[in-house]
Amino acid sequence: INAFETGVKFDNRTVSFEAAGFYYDYKNLQVSSYQAGAAQITNAASSEIYGLEAQFRYRMSSAFTINGGGAWTHARYKSFPNAPFYTWCDPAAAAGSAMWCVPVALGGSGPGGIIQTSTDASGYKMQRSPEFSGNLGASYGFDIARGRATLSGNLYYTSSFFADPEQQFKQNGYALLSLRAQWVDPSERFTVAVYGDNVTNKRYESQVLFTTLGIGNVWAPPATYGVSLGVKF
């Protein structure tokens, strides 16, 4: 990999800001796939990633702060002529061919089984690489019951992306909202907080499992709420 990056940082205690531009050029990037439960490594001949990212924090007062960030990423396989591809076997295919339905007696799934072939993924988006992502948050603190309370929230967004290099398994863009309220006692030793993650109950996949044994996916947690207690020793 040849990696290049340039950027700028600024901080005057009220406002902090940083931004960067980057370019990564890969040769023989290794990509994992699974066939019959066994991992296989394929070399993507070449790929590149370039983009821009920035983040900021603005302290509007001693009590109120906002922060955020964002990234634009262009990630592509420049040359990947033998990317793994999953499809159904062809009952009419000749024995031993790429599309052959391996009989159950020989350890296969028979007609209707999933097989791994290959496709040309040159120019395709790199897996798990959204074009846009970002977050926006805010926190507000105030004194109460002789301690310090803080209310905060964060909104995260990602555009769509693919879980695989051959662009078979797509996750659409989504946004996640997290909220938190905490109180710290006057000694700053004890903390109690209530929180909510994914409070809009967005349904999205955190992982896709693709093998010739079956295609599965892992769903991210739904709306989650809780209480936490902390003690400093």
Side-chain angles (χ1 to χ4, degrees), residues 102-137:
V102 180
V104 176
L106 298 180
S109 302
I114 300 173
I115 59 172
Q116 177 181 304
T117 60
S118 63
T119 188
D120 188 353
S122 302
Y124 283 13
K125 293 181 179 180
M126 296 178 68
Q127 60 193 116
R128 304 194 67 84
S129 299
E131 293 276 352
F132 300 97
S133 62
N135 73 287
L136 182 64

Side-chain angles (χ1 to χ4, degrees), residues 166-180:
E166 64 273 17
Q167 298 191 171
Q168 286 186 274
F169 309 107
K170 182 181 180 179
Q171 169 61 58
N172 292 326
Y174 59 86
L176 301 176
L177 177 63
S178 298
L179 301 173
R180 180 181 177 90

Side-chain angles (χ1 to χ4, degrees), residues 45-67:
S46 63
S47 56
E48 66 178 2
I49 303 175
Y50 58 84
L52 302 169
E53 59 184 8
Q55 59 184 11
F56 77 95
R57 177 182 54 81
Y58 177 35
R59 189 176 182 184
M60 300 183 68
S61 69
S62 59
F64 187 56
T65 300
I66 60 174
N67 63 276

Side-chain angles (χ1 to χ4, degrees), residues 31 37 52 56 63 73 75 80 93 102 111 115 118 133 137 143 152-153 170 172 176 195 199 218 223 225 227-228 230:
V31 177
L52 302 169
F56 77 95
T73 305
F80 197 175
V102 180
I115 59 172
S118 63
S133 62
D143 296 328
S152 60
K170 182 181 180 179
N172 292 326
L176 301 176
Y195 64 87
V199 297
V218 178
Y225 305 92
V227 177
S228 67

